[in-house]
Amino acid sequence: MPKPKCRLLPHGAYALLPSVFSTMAWMASVSQDGCDYSRVAGPAIQDLTNTITLPWIEVGFIAYRVPTYSAEDEVWFIDYNVGCVALEDSMVDGYWKAAKGFAFMALVLGGSGALFTWFSSCFIFSPATWRWAAYQILTASICQCLAFMWFATSFCKSNSCDMFYGSKADILSAVLWLASAVMMIARYPSPRKYNDDGSEIETAEEEVVPELPVDGDATARISTTTDDSTASTNGDSSTSSQKDAVQMKEANADLV
C-alpha cells in the first residue's frame, strides 16, 4: 500500500473554507472563561454573595463573578483581574448538567473536527472521509445549540438570566460550525491527479465538436461556408462551359 504524500492543497482552495470556519468557531467557544455565560439579577445574588447591594452578577457553567462599584464614576463594572468564585453543587440541576455536557461535547467534536479538516490542505480525502468530517462538525453545532437549555434551569426560572459574552460566543460558534458543515456536505472538491513522480497531471482541453442540425428541424440551417463553396463551384463550371461553346463556334467558322 503506497504511503500518503503531503501535497499543497490537493483539493484546491475550496477545502480551506470549512477549515477556517470551524477553527473560528472553536476559538469563539474557548474564548469564554467559565463565569461569563449569563448576567443574572434576582434573589440568587443574596444567596450566593450574602449581600443585597449588588445589582447583578455574571454566572457561567462552573462559577460566577461579582462586579465592583466605582465611586468616582458611580457605575458597577467587572474587574477581570479578580478571579471567579466556584458555584455550589446544590444549585446545579439536571438541565444545568446536561447543558454543561453538551457544551463540552461541542468543544471536543468541533475542535477535533476543525483540526482534522486542516489535513485536507495536505492530504487527499476520500468522499466518505470528507462526509464523515462534515457530520462531526454538524454534530458539534447541534450540541452547541443544545447547551442553551441552561436557560431552562430552575436557577433561571427564579431569577432574570440575560445572555452575556459566553452565550453570545456560543451562538457564533454554532453558526460557524453549521456553515462549515453545510459547505462540506454541499460539495466535495475533487482532488487533483498526480504522476508517480509527484508532478501534477495537466488536464488537456477537450475539443469542442459542433452540433449537427436535427433531421426534420424547421430551424435547421446549412452552413454558410458550404453554400458559398457550392455556389463558387457551380459558377466556375458554368463559366468553363461557356468558354468551350465559344471555342467550338470559332472552330466551325474557320472551317466554313
Side-chain angles (χ1 to χ4, degrees):
M1 181 178 180
K3 295 182 179 180
K5 296 181 179 179
C6 180
R7 299 181 175 92
L8 180 61
L9 298 178
H11 289 278
Y14 183 84
L16 293 176
L17 293 178
S19 301
V20 172
F21 274 59
S22 57
T23 301
M24 292 173 60
W26 180 79
M27 293 175 64
S29 182
V30 299
S31 63
Q32 48 191 306
D33 59 3
C35 55
D36 57 357
Y37 194 76
S38 174
R39 178 165 285 185
V40 179
I45 297 177
Q46 185 176 359
D47 297 338
L48 290 172
T49 63
N50 295 323
T51 179
I52 60 173
T53 58
L54 298 176
W56 46 263
I57 58 174
E58 293 180 1
V59 179
F61 289 123
I62 59 176
Y64 69 94
R65 181 188 286 117
V66 297
T68 302
Y69 182 73
S70 173
E72 181 180 354
D73 299 329
E74 297 182 353
V75 293
W76 291 89
F77 70 98
I78 291 294
D79 184 3
Y80 289 100
N81 294 322
V82 179
C84 301
V85 182
L87 289 166
E88 298 177 1
D89 295 336
S90 59
M91 301 180 58
V92 179
D93 59 5
Y95 284 106
W96 198 309
K97 293 179 180 178
K100 182 180 178 181
F102 281 123
F104 178 76
M105 290 177 60
L107 186 64
V108 173
L109 292 175
S112 59
L115 177 63
F116 186 70
T117 55
W118 278 108
F119 284 99
S120 64
S121 63
C122 183
F123 299 100
I124 296 177
F125 280 16
S126 65
T129 304
W130 181 267
R131 190 180 306 112
W132 279 110
Y135 293 156
Q136 178 179 343
I137 296 176
L138 178 61
T139 305
S141 178
I142 296 174
C143 290
Q144 193 70 83
C145 293
L146 292 175
F148 283 92
M149 69 173 59
W150 183 87
F151 290 96
T153 59
S154 58
F155 177 81
C156 285
K157 290 180 180 179
S158 58
N159 297 275
S160 175
C161 298
D162 297 328
M163 287 195 300
F164 197 55
Y165 175 80
S167 55
K168 294 178 180 178
D170 283 351
I171 293 177
L172 178 61
S173 299
V175 171
L176 290 175
W177 272 322
L178 178 62
S180 176
V182 168
M183 285 188 290
M184 297 183 70
I185 295 174
R187 179 185 174 188
Y188 168 72
S190 300
R192 300 169 181 173
K193 297 180 180 180
Y194 297 90
N195 295 312
D196 295 336
D197 58 357
S199 59
E200 183 179 353
I201 300 177
E202 296 183 359
T203 305
E205 296 183 358
E206 297 182 357
E207 183 180 358
V208 179
V209 180
E211 297 182 358
L212 298 176
V214 181
D215 186 17
D217 189 356
T219 61
R221 296 179 179 179
I222 301 176
S223 174
T224 306
T225 305
T226 306
D227 294 341
D228 295 341
S229 60
T230 304
S232 176
T233 303
N234 294 335
D236 295 342
S237 300
S238 177
T239 303
S240 178
S241 300
Q242 292 177 359
K243 291 181 178 180
D244 293 341
V246 172
Q247 292 178 356
M248 291 177 65
K249 288 181 181 181
E250 293 177 350
N252 293 331
D254 294 338
L255 292 176
V256 174

